[in-house]
């Protein structure tokens, strides 16, 4: 009788925990970007955040959705991908608006300082996705260009997947590429920090949430019996997160001394 009473209590509890874990998987991935989004809006400066993080996540989650058509996996992971794509597009929209506004303000200050009469000749040309200029890839002047790139990639990848969906080798390779790309999520931020020898402008809260979220995600993959690619690349993701936290600690203890230099009126900070 006691066992039946415990079952009556444990079954709904287990179901509740399962729903909670699924909800955490669906929405937990976007939570780390909330403090970074808020910081960019507050400071109107996106220099500390690498937009290549958005590129990595957009590619990874588009490939993961395509992988689902060849090999079904947990539904929360599928919904997580859709929500992450929308989140990254919002991050790109904000970063692009802030960067373009800052570039415009910098040019106005330069014109005012130099009292230039040939303002139009000094205005930088608009960078567009349709220019197909590799030097300006993912540094375009309009959010619409990023959307065009994402749609073009999704269309081409979707068409190739449609033609090759019956190939087990292709499907497994697609799944591996999806999770491997996502595992490289922190690499652009890691490289940026190394290049600048600083983590200024990067939200430490975001990286801490990355680490805790990736650790939870990896455990979820293992417990739910997700494809092996998911677990291996999840572990790799945790290691990259820890490396970024190590950078933050090292640069905080040994900050780089600023080198005095003369700023030319027409120069602008490289993004």
């Amino acid at each position: 009788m006691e066992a039946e009473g415990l079952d009556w209590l444990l079954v709904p509890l287990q179901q509740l925990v399962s729903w909670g874990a699924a909800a955490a998987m669906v929405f937990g991935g976007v939570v780390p970007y909330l403090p970074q989004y808020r910081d960019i809006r507050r400071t109107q400066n996106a220099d500390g955040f690498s937009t290549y993080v958005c590129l990595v996540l957009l590619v990874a989650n588009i490939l993961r959705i395509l992988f689902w058509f060849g090999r079904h996996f947990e539904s929360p992971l599928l919904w997580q991908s859709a929500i992450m794509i929308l989140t990254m597009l919002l991050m790109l929209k904000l970063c692009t608006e802030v960067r373009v506004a800052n570039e415009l303000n910098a040019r106005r200050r330069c014109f005012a300082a130099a009292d230039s009469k040939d303002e139009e000749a000094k205005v930088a040309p608009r960078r567009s996705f349709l220019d197909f200029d590799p030097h300006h890839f993912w540094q375009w002047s309009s959010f619409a260009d990023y959307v065009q790139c994402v749609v073009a990639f999704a269309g081409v990848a979707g068409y190739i997947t449609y033609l090759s969906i019956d190939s087990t080798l292709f499907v497994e390779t697609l799944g591996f590429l999806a999770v491997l790309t996502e595992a490289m999520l922190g690499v652009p931020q890691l490289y940026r920090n190394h290049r600048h020898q600083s983590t200024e402008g990067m939200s430490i809260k975001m990286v801490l949430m990355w680490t805790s979220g990736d650790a939870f995600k990896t455990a979820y993959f293992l417990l739910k019996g997700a494809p092996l690619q998911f677990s291996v690349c999840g572990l790799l993701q945790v290691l990259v997160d820890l490396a970024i936290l190590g950078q933050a600690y090292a640069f905080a203890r040994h900050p780089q001394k600023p080198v005095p230099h003369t700023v030319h009126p027409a120069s602008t900070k490289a993004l």
Side-chain angles (χ1 to χ4, degrees), residues 23-242:
M25 281 301 302
V26 172
F27 299 104
V30 305
V31 172
Y33 299 95
L34 296 179
Q36 185 71 68
Y37 187 91
R38 184 184 60 188
D39 288 348
I40 293 173
R41 282 188 65 91
R42 178 174 54 82
T43 63
Q44 287 299 294
N45 189 332
D47 289 351
F49 177 72
S50 173
T51 54
Y52 286 100
V53 170
C54 300
L55 172 62
V56 169
L57 279 175
L58 285 167
V59 171
N61 284 282
I62 288 171
L63 293 179
R64 188 199 283 183
I65 290 174
L66 294 175
F67 175 53
W68 182 86
F69 287 99
R71 182 177 174 185
H72 287 5
F73 48 79
E74 289 282 318
S75 296
L77 298 177
L78 181 64
W79 285 107
Q80 181 200 49
S81 292
I83 291 175
M84 184 61 76
I85 289 172
L86 293 176
T87 303
M88 289 303 101
L89 289 175
L90 288 174
M91 286 292 296
L92 275 175
K93 185 174 186 296
L94 175 65
C95 290
T96 305
E97 290 173 351
V98 168
R99 175 168 53 80
V100 171
N102 288 343
E103 287 178 351
L104 181 59
N105 290 335
R107 286 199 296 268
R108 285 173 177 169
R109 287 194 296 269
C110 292
F111 295 145
D115 195 22
S116 174
K117 295 181 181 179
D118 191 18
E119 180 173 337
E120 289 186 4
K122 291 187 176 183
V123 174
R126 181 183 182 278
R127 301 185 294 268
S128 171
F129 165 66
L130 295 179
D131 293 337
F132 300 109
D133 186 348
H135 295 96
H136 293 144
F137 177 75
W138 213 248
Q139 297 176 13
W140 301 307
S141 303
S142 171
F143 172 65
D145 293 301
Y146 293 94
V147 175
Q148 290 172 7
C149 179
V150 171
V151 170
F153 173 77
V156 171
Y159 180 68
I160 294 173
T161 302
Y162 174 76
L163 295 178
S164 310
I165 197 69
D166 294 329
S167 170
T168 303
L169 177 61
F170 173 83
V171 171
E172 293 300 325
T173 302
L174 183 64
F176 178 75
L177 288 176
V179 292
L180 181 63
T181 305
E182 186 175 359
M184 296 296 104
L185 162 65
V187 172
Q189 192 68 51
L190 188 74
Y191 173 72
R192 183 209 165 275
N193 295 344
H194 173 72
R195 185 162 58 90
H196 292 278
Q197 289 295 293
S198 170
T199 56
E200 183 180 358
M202 182 191 75
S203 172
I204 300 297
K205 291 180 181 178
M206 177 187 71
V207 183
L208 286 171
M209 290 180 182
W210 275 359
T211 308
S212 58
D214 291 337
F216 171 81
K217 182 169 64 176
T218 304
Y220 182 90
F221 291 157
L222 292 170
L223 293 173
K224 289 291 185 178
L228 181 61
Q229 303 102 309
F230 283 54
S231 301
V232 172
C233 293
L235 180 59
L236 179 59
Q237 213 167 340
V238 173
L239 295 176
V240 174
D241 297 340
L242 292 175

